[in-house]
Amino acid sequence: MTDETANGAATAAPAETEAQQEPQVRLNILAQFIRDLSFENIVAQKGIAGEVSPEIQVQVSLDARKRQPDHQYEVICKYRVTSVNTNDQAKLFLCELDYAGVFHIEGVPEEQMHPFLMIECPRILFPFVRRILSDVTRDGGFPPFNLDPVDFVALYRQEAQRRAAAQATRPEGAPLS
């Protein structure tokens, strides 16, 4: 959007000027990798009798840390997928995956960096995690497990509420957990 002055020269509209002054977020993925992966096929180890009706439970946890070069962060997504037989609660398989990404991030205000690391970076890594979990369960002798999308915003809010509740019930002077 431009405004014309009396002499016909175009000038930037105020909204464009403000947008140009705000730093742009710059995000580069420098690396992504499996930090740890384990798959236990309990059915193959112990066997199972009778009809199998699997139920799958997924636990997700996130961690992030600043790295030595300026503007570099490592984000670690930890997934624990457990399958149990609903008939007798016998475990069928257990898969644990720690998947990490190294990101170069600039232009994010310091007060917004933590939510950015815990929401946006895991979103970027998610399709790769989903593929790995699918391949590992298939290669382990089970139907491929296609992880449903994770709502990282809700996960972040739940963790913030948990921490706020823990801090509210913490006695004065007690260490943080």
Side-chain angles (χ1 to χ4, degrees), residues 74-92:
E74 182 176 13
V75 176
I76 304 152
C77 304
K78 299 178 182 186
Y79 293 83
R80 180 181 172 96
V81 181
T82 308
S83 179
V84 297
N85 187 357
T86 55
N87 297 335
D88 60 2
Q89 296 304 305
K91 283 190 179 178
L92 303 173

Side-chain angles (χ1 to χ4, degrees), residues 122-170:
R123 269 190 199 155
I124 293 169
L125 299 175
F126 180 79
F128 302 96
V129 167
R130 186 172 197 255
R131 174 66 188 262
I132 292 166
L133 290 173
S134 176
D135 288 349
V136 167
T137 53
R138 183 199 65 227
D139 293 347
F142 293 91
F145 171 62
N146 292 314
L147 181 63
D148 289 334
V150 175
D151 185 351
F152 292 106
V153 173
L155 198 63
Y156 184 80
R157 287 180 181 152
Q158 288 172 357
E159 181 61 17
Q161 289 173 348
R162 186 196 67 78
R163 286 184 182 206
Q167 190 172 14
T169 60
R170 181 178 63 89

